[in-house]
């Protein structure tokens, strides 16, 4: 059975250069702190944050509590990607970084994608609305985080 997919994309401009922004956003715990759907996030393991680093995040989505383990799967100067899974759901958070409209600024495009597999596919109608609402909160959280 194919997966049902929902996505939401938001873009903000940070008042810092791309390397500074990337260093803040590549730690999933920092990113999750301003995410309205995440209630806790803990790094698993130690060492530098790099591809392969993992975090355990507790989130509420559609009225349910889910624990997802996110892994930093792509860590490049212009693209950061985290992938997490819980049951029949795979969540991807991708952050694209490009030069902003003014010197010393960065355009940050945050894309959230949720793939529902099997019986989880039945949730997609409600999940579209919930993800849009969560994406709006994530956009506000990114603005707070990056302008701090």
């Amino acid at each position: 059975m194919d997966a049902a997919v929902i996505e939401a994309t938001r873009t903000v401009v940070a008042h810092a250069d791309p390397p500074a922004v990337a260093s803040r956003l590549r730690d999933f715990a920092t990113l999750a702190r301003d995410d309205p759907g995440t209630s806790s996030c803990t790094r698993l393991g130690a060492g530098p944050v790099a591809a392969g680093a993992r975090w355990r995040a507790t989130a509420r989505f559609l009225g349910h509590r889910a624990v997802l383990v996110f892994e930093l799967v792509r860590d490049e100067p212009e693209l950061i990607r985290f992938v997490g899974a819980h049951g029949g759901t795979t969540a991807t958070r991708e952050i694209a970084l490009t030069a902003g409209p003014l010197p010393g600024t960065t355009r940050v495009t945050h894309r959230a994608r949720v793939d529902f597999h099997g019986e989880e596919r039945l949730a997609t109608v409600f999940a579209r609305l919930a993800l849009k609402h969560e994406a709006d909160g994530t956009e506000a959280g990114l603005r707070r985080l990056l302008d701090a």
Side-chain angles (χ1 to χ4, degrees):
M1 186 183 295
D2 294 328
V5 176
I6 60 171
E7 294 180 331
T9 302
R10 298 293 185 270
T11 301
V12 301
V13 175
H15 300 286
D17 63 10
V21 173
S23 72
R24 294 190 84 178
L25 296 181
R26 57 200 291 269
D27 182 342
F28 194 79
T30 300
L31 185 63
R33 186 173 37 234
D34 285 306
D35 180 4
T38 303
S39 57
S40 69
C41 186
T42 306
R43 170 91 188 270
L44 302 173
V49 173
R54 297 172 19 159
W55 294 261
R56 177 179 289 118
T58 303
R60 291 202 66 76
F61 192 69
L62 296 174
H64 297 282
R65 180 180 165 269
V67 177
L68 293 92
V69 174
F70 279 89
E71 180 176 343
L72 178 57
V73 296
R74 193 161 175 190
D75 184 16
E76 299 172 5
E78 295 178 350
L79 185 65
I80 301 165
R81 182 179 299 135
F82 300 95
V83 176
H86 173 77
T89 304
T90 302
T92 303
R93 294 182 73 168
E94 185 173 274
I95 303 160
L97 306 168
T98 57
L102 299 172
T105 64
T106 304
R107 184 177 315 277
V108 179
T109 302
H110 178 275
R111 185 175 137 230
R113 175 185 167 127
V114 182
D115 293 73
F116 295 96
H117 310 277
E119 291 179 9
E120 300 285 334
R121 292 170 43 114
L122 300 174
T124 58
V125 172
F126 302 108
R128 283 187 209 293
L129 295 172
L131 186 61
K132 180 194 177 305
H133 176 72
E134 186 174 307
D136 291 341
T138 298
E139 178 181 359
L142 278 171
R143 288 184 193 284
R144 281 190 307 273
L145 174 65
L146 296 171
D147 286 335

